[in-house]
Amino acid sequence: MDDRRPTAQRDERFPRAIRLGRNKNYRYVYRRGKSTPSRSLTLVFLKGRDLKIGFSVSGKVGNAVTRNRLRRWMREDVRRLRTLLKCGKYIFVARPCMKDMTHEELTREMAQVLSRAKLLKEDRA
């Protein structure tokens, strides 16, 4: 007997196809993109035809465990918001004060910075 149930779930993975990838792509977005700061993170955005997303957490933020945890949290939040994002290249840059935040606070702040930059599809203005 098969315990798996057929469900009509949408694909919510974070596939390689939407990752920003190499260092030259990050440099290009930093050089040409527009920046939107908030208290604990900065969003750098460049218009484009397809969706590419990258994350940057420097050594100033904390040790490797802390940096990886924050990257996982940001990746999870973007994964959930992916269908609402406009096409383009995004870089989410963590600031040192992010290490003291909870995941819920980070989720709220990421949504606010995306909304303030008018990068969510429902923001038609």
Side-chain angles (χ1 to χ4, degrees):
M1 182 168 209
D2 192 13
D3 289 332
R4 290 179 281 156
R5 295 182 195 144
T7 58
Q9 294 178 349
R10 66 175 197 228
D11 188 18
E12 291 186 349
R13 292 177 291 180
F14 196 80
R16 189 176 298 272
I18 67 166
R19 295 179 192 168
L20 196 53
R22 298 190 174 272
N23 188 21
K24 68 177 185 176
N25 297 333
Y26 279 84
R27 287 194 319 253
Y28 181 77
V29 175
Y30 280 128
R31 195 170 51 252
R32 301 251 176 129
K34 299 238 187 276
S35 176
T36 304
S38 74
R39 186 176 63 87
S40 63
L41 67 98
T42 302
L43 171 65
V44 183
F45 173 75
L46 181 64
K47 287 184 180 180
R49 290 185 299 235
D50 51 352
L51 181 65
K52 298 286 185 181
I53 303 168
F55 305 96
S56 176
V57 184
S58 79
K60 294 178 184 178
V61 175
N63 62 14
V65 173
T66 303
R67 293 192 307 268
N68 287 326
R69 184 186 68 230
L70 294 174
R71 238 186 321 270
R72 282 193 311 269
W73 285 356
M74 288 193 292
R75 197 166 46 237
E76 173 67 16
D77 294 338
V78 169
R79 184 185 66 81
R80 290 180 180 167
L81 292 171
R82 187 176 85 192
T83 57
L84 302 175
L85 294 176
K86 293 181 179 177
C87 290
K89 297 180 181 185
Y90 297 78
I91 300 177
F92 292 91
V93 183
R95 291 186 172 176
C97 65
M98 186 185 279
K99 66 183 172 192
D100 300 324
M101 296 178 76
T102 64
H103 189 195
E104 291 77 25
E105 292 170 335
L106 176 60
T107 302
R108 193 169 36 253
E109 187 152 349
M110 285 183 79
Q112 287 173 350
V113 76
L114 285 166
S115 179
R116 195 168 64 240
K118 295 182 173 70
L119 296 173
L120 297 175
K121 287 182 181 173
E122 65 241 13
D123 294 342
R124 299 286 181 194

